[in-house]
Amino acid sequence: MRLEAHVRGSIEEALERMGVPAPHEVPVERPQRSEHGDLTSRIAFPLARSVRRSPQELARQLAEQLDGETPFSEVSAVDGFLNFRMAPIPLGEVVRGVIIDGESYGSSDEGAGRPLQIEFVSSNPTGPLTVGHGRQAALGDVLAELLAQRGWHVTREYYMNDEGHQIVMLARSLWARYRQALGDAVPVPEDGYQGDYLAALGEELAQQWGDRYPTWTTEAEGEIRVFAVERMMAVIREDLQAMGVAFDVWTREGDLHRRGLVAETLEALADRGAVYEREGARWLEATAHGLSRDPVLIKSDGTPTYIMVDIAYHMDKFRRGFERVIDVQGADHVDTQRQVKLGLKLLDVPDTFLDYCIHQFVTLKGAEGVQRMSTRAGRFLRLSDLVEELGRDVFRYFMVMRKPSSHLNFDYALAKDTSMENPVYYIQYAHTRVASVLREAQRTGELPASLVEVDLSPLTDEAERALILELDRFPEVLASAAHGYAPHLVCEYLEDLAGLFHPYYSRVRVLGQGAATPARLALLASVGLVLRRGLTVLGLSTPEEM
RNA sequence: GCGCCCGUAGCUCAGUUGGACAGAGCAGCGGCCUUCUAAGCCGCAGGCCGGGGGUUCGAAUCCUCCCGGGCGCGCCA
């Protein structure tokens, strides 16, 4: 049983004995200071008014009621707070629980296997992925894993935008590179893609095609487009693979058009009277629903906008049977998110269907100061280069260690030179130390055949109690990280756990300590297991030695 | 100008549905390796939580105004 459940249950029983109606949920928290107990409740504050007693008085009475209860070694009332110190038995049960649950410790069946889709990266196939995409790739991937841990059946999906103006610009830019390779002085269009990654492809086309397309024609565009998109997608897949991110489904914009979904969705919106014509374009009636402006759905040249296609795409997701969809997107999409949500609402999709995880951008700190990356201008840091240089583990960790809503300050030089101060190594090193002791215990014959059976009562050291309390917290951390779309909480947690373990390891000897040894081995095994669980959720490796 | 996000130690950031004297890592200063890996551990120092008002028994947290930074603002995605 989780420690919180002991506290909550005991308080509810005590209130009943006192004839005080319990609130729907009894608040139980982890105090910041250890003097305030292992767990604490401020139940007396909300209840004081209804029973016409002061919080202090009510807390005192509750403490009196609870002080003899078995799960607690001490219950005290301080300034209206009710502070609990847990007895050795429930603490030992935490360790035993971790060992019994094993690789499923901290997971839940809240999602009950219901289908959930998470769409992320979805970068246009116009160039390699950059550090900015890296944040989204790591965020989305970890978020997907977190929701899977909560029992959802998760689909990772990449939306591939292989139509529209940007793709034409890509093809036009590549054609220029192709002509350049043949000796023509054709410049890459000013608003085209300037990056030199297209130059190599241009060379390739020149060799393959010779002088087949001397001028920019519809035919040239058609063929170059297909070639360019396939090549760019291959590059993006490689970049994702380097990060250890794999998608279950790839959806192409072109397919949505071919299946008639865009036209169908537009018609449905028009049937609702939400579409009007002006200046040769077709618009969505959005200001009438509280938005700041009306977006264009169909441009005056007859082609659909990104918003239009995205509404159609999300209608498709809805029909595919997902109960929830989460899109991970950058902060520059906030306006369009509202527009898409409005479109879905008009088409009777429940408001809870689509949710966004919005993240701020990665800023690079260099000698020239902060610089915004731009794929179009060819000014970017390739994701794959960085992953290769830092290692997958370090890169992924750095991308998710901050709250998504905050800017991620990525100091390239520091990240490269982190061997001594890197939290990733700090956490992984804790894991290897556990493994090392267990190996040694195996060698000396001190490792019990079954850690579940071990007597855990010798775990009375304050550092051991602190570690156990931290282990007990892991399920809550996974839950809040999943609910709040906040993978960084897992990072913080692992740093805290490792931060408790290293000092303990340095001070307290495990092997050759008589009755304490099996208990400490069980504790170490459970610490190692939770570290491994956390690292795995983040998609990092769990080395046995370093 | 309008909308959204952010402003906490020298730096990078945490801070649970408002709660008990504000936390971590790094940088700085001083210690610790004959014993399960010193990629570690221990100690010291460091803060009007951007600023003013308000709500509350209680505010870094909620409301309001101001200052500073990021992103976006009808046919790019």
Side-chain angles (χ1 to χ4, degrees), chain A residues 501-545:
Chain A
F501 176 71
H502 284 301
Y504 174 69
Y505 171 89
S506 306
R507 182 172 62 78
V508 180
R509 204 162 159 80
V510 174
L511 301 182
Q513 305 301 305
T517 291
R520 288 178 185 166
L521 284 170
L523 176 62
L524 256 63
S526 58
V527 168
L529 193 124
V530 172
L531 287 170
R532 190 154 61 247
R533 291 276 294 125
L535 285 167
T536 305
V537 165
L538 296 177
L540 309 199
S541 66
T542 54
E544 299 279 311
E545 38 188 82

Side-chain angles (χ1 to χ4, degrees), chain A residues 287-471:
Chain A
T287 46
H289 298 276
L291 270 61
S292 56
R293 65 180 180 86
D294 290 348
V296 170
L297 295 177
I298 303 296
K299 295 181 252 180
S300 46
D301 68 1
T303 60
T305 59
Y306 162 79
I307 295 299
M308 179 63 243
V309 181
D310 215 37
I311 294 171
Y313 177 37
H314 283 82
M315 276 310 291
D316 187 49
K317 293 185 184 187
F318 184 62
R319 288 185 191 153
R320 282 160 60 193
F322 291 111
E323 178 149 336
R324 271 176 82 189
V325 164
I326 301 167
D327 287 2
V328 184
Q329 290 185 344
D332 54 344
H333 277 66
V334 279
D335 263 12
T336 63
Q337 287 163 2
R338 289 177 189 170
Q339 293 159 1
V340 171
K341 287 207 80 155
L342 173 62
L344 294 179
K345 188 180 163 193
L346 293 170
L347 297 172
D348 303 319
V349 174
D351 193 51
T352 51
F353 174 67
L354 173 62
D355 208 359
Y356 287 97
C357 170
I358 304 162
H359 66 89
Q360 293 292 330
F361 297 102
V362 178
T363 47
L364 285 173
K365 215 170 64 182
E368 312 82 41
V370 175
Q371 216 184 21
R372 179 83 200 271
M373 281 174 285
S374 161
T375 305
R376 222 172 295 181
R379 185 180 68 240
F380 59 85
L381 197 53
R382 274 199 68 167
L383 173 72
S384 51
D385 293 340
L386 212 49
V387 173
E388 197 178 315
E389 217 161 337
L390 304 172
R392 180 191 288 183
D393 289 351
V394 171
F395 183 75
R396 285 184 68 117
Y397 191 91
F398 269 67
M399 289 296 112
V400 298
M401 70 195 285
R402 300 298 178 219
K403 196 165 44 176
S405 63
S406 288
H407 282 93
L408 178 62
N409 236 306
F410 191 82
D411 191 327
Y412 180 68
L414 185 74
K416 233 181 116 175
D417 178 50
T418 44
S419 55
M420 300 298 260
E421 65 228 37
N422 196 321
V424 178
Y425 297 145
Y426 187 78
I427 296 162
Q428 288 181 330
Y429 189 48
H431 184 258
T432 65
R433 279 183 146 174
V434 168
S436 169
V437 177
L438 294 177
R439 268 200 311 273
E440 186 64 12
Q442 180 84 278
R443 196 183 65 76
T444 61
E446 290 176 272
L447 190 66
S450 167
L451 288 169
V452 179
E453 312 289 332
V454 165
D455 170 22
L456 298 162
S457 60
L459 298 177
T460 51
D461 187 282
E462 277 307 310
E464 287 164 342
R465 303 184 78 261
L467 274 168
I468 294 171
L469 291 169
E470 195 67 6
L471 293 176

